[in-house]
Amino acid sequence: MPSDATRRIIDASRAALDAALDAGRRLTDGGKGIDEHQVHAERLAYAATEVAAAEALSGYAGGIGDATTDAMAAAFAAEVADRLRSRIEGHREDFGVSDAVMAKSLGDGDVQKAIRAAQHEARFRDIGREMIRTRGVNNSPIDDVGLMARDSARSFARKEVAPLAERIHRHDELVPDSIIAKMSELGYFGMSVPEEYGGQGMGNLVMVVITEELSAASLAAAGSLITRPEILTKALLNGGSEAQKKKWLPPIAAGEIMCGISVTEPDTGSDVAAVRCRAERGEQDGKAGWFISGAKAWCTFAGRANVLALLARTNPDPKAGAKGLSLFIVPKDAFPGHEFEMKQPGGGVLHGKADPTPGYRGMHSYTLAFERYFVPAENLVGEAAGEGRGFYLQMQGFAAGRLQTGGRATGLAQAALETTAGYAAERKQFGRSIGDFQLTQYKLGRMATQVAAARQLSYAAARAMDEDEGAALQAAMAKLLSSDIAVAVTQEGQLIHGGWGYAEEFAISRHVVDALVLPIFEGVKPILELKVIARALLGER
Ligand SMILES: Cc1cc2nc3c(=O)[nH]c(=O)nc-3n(C[C@H](O)[C@H](O)[C@H](O)COP(=O)(O)OP(=O)(O)OC[C@H]3O[C@@H](n4cnc5c(N)ncnc54)[C@H](O)[C@@H]3O)c2cc1C
């Protein structure tokens, strides 16, 4: 059980939030009018996400009986409650929470006293000192399976990925095949593939734990390699025919085929239902199939990938919207460089060119042009029955991807915490280690607390998905909060490094630019808040 004070703070936040969500449902007519109240809907989505994280961290702390984790749970809950109260007070009419509810919850004198005590700067400084002592290393208790997975992933990531991470980033290299081969051996590409299809069937929690360790060593050259197979695996499990599962899942699990996910187009991003890339039914050399024509953008790993999971319009009637889209598995050759062209014997062409980015280097993200590129009929996910179901399957795949991104973001933030705790212990100014200064301790304490909250929200989402694969709300919340925390924690860590935080030879400068991409992909932050989280929270129950 969490401490009484933490429990009281969280209960008060939950009561105020639930009242605000009820009022939000009325205001938006059960979510139908979110677009007429976008700003308020975003506030509700974010507050609900933060309260869920406070609950996850305090639930975890209550079960392990560790003083630092207890302090983190209390401090995080207090900051969330303080922000929620200030948001409600600042926009009282919008939130629609009555005086009576506020007086009994976040406005209650004892609750406010508990909030002040729990978020007192001295509490954060205690946590920060502990981080300096332990160099921020994550040894948080976890069950035996999780522990084994964490130890083995950490050892691989530190020995084999970390030494290459800086070079890959600075020279914008492609992730070497040696990393892919070792990850294949360890079974990391088949974590969500059931054993009957050659996978590990490890479940979502272990997948997140392993992702964290890989991402701490390198976001793009290790942690993110798993995202694409996770998305395609979930799409195939949800909508693939039995023959497709048998054909594609074993080589995905074995790491024999690398995947890219191709949804975004130059002019179509968030409005996925408006995808324009066309798939026209046809025949080539007596084989039935589809000709793909059109442009795609930001397809990560498209060069090295052996297959692209591509969302294309099979029904040309624009009124068909999302129902006119189908998901294809598009085979291609693997190319190592930043640009490639693939010519099919029948005349189809696929051209790809990587768009340079400040971070997230190692996989390259490509703009693609398809010209009558032939794909056999059996590669439409779900075969004939899958026509028109691509949007739905892609969204289910994205839910899995978002959960994995909770792990990616937590791992990256963890790396920033560790490198910063080490730096603070060693760097001396004014005759003292900078970690001896109160403000550094306070900042490290807040960084560690936020990382712990991101981790426990991601684990809670993984457990929810282990129980019910449809737990898309929890996965979206984990992605939203962990990504923001990764951005905040890497930037705070950079400041603690001073000028050296801006030097490429210090890992923190890479962590900062890598983190910036996290709130953008798999549903850019405002879309995730409005179209996924707010919609799920405010929709009719
Ligand atoms: C490095 C990188 C890698 C990527 N990898 C992949 C990949 O592998 N596969 C893939 O398919 N895509 C990938 N993406 C693309 C990514 O998913 C998209 O960039 C993202 O979904 C947003 O789409 P957009 O860029 O077109 O932004 P837009 O949709 O144009 O949105 C821009 C902004 O407009 C505002 N906005 C838009 N619509 C609304 C609305 N309804 N209400 C309120 N505000 C709104 C928001 O502020 C939003 O942030 C990647 C992107 C990057 C940067």
Side-chain angles (χ1 to χ4, degrees), residues 408-418 447 451 482 485-486 489-490:
R408 288 198 277 176
T410 304
L412 184 56
Q414 173 66 32
L417 173 66
E418 286 181 34
M447 287 164 68
V451 175
S482 307
I485 284 175
V489 164
T490 51

Side-chain angles (χ1 to χ4, degrees), residues 52-137:
E55 288 170 339
L57 181 55
S58 94
Y60 172 70
I64 62 166
D66 166 69
T68 303
T69 315
D70 281 343
M72 287 180 179
F76 188 79
E79 286 202 333
V80 165
D82 202 23
R83 271 195 293 277
L84 180 57
R85 177 166 168 264
S86 131
R87 259 183 235 145
I88 293 175
E89 294 295 359
H91 311 279
R92 205 59 191 274
E93 293 75 18
D94 291 341
F95 271 91
V97 181
S98 70
D99 288 348
V101 169
M102 281 307 275
K104 272 203 260 160
S105 59
L106 293 172
D108 177 85
D110 285 345
V111 171
Q112 290 190 7
K113 204 163 142 197
I115 291 173
R116 285 196 296 275
Q119 68 172 353
H120 193 274
E121 52 97 6
R123 302 284 294 270
F124 279 114
R125 279 194 282 122
D126 287 346
I127 300 167
R129 274 197 299 277
E130 184 60 11
M131 290 307 118
I132 292 169
R133 190 184 71 75
T134 60
R135 298 297 191 266
V137 174

Side-chain angles (χ1 to χ4, degrees), residues 42 46 479-480 484 519-521 523-530:
E42 193 222 24
Y46 213 88
K479 195 261 177 184
L480 172 68
D484 274 5
I520 294 176
F521 50 36
V524 67
K525 181 177 167 184
I527 297 300
L528 197 60
E529 292 169 320
L530 297 177

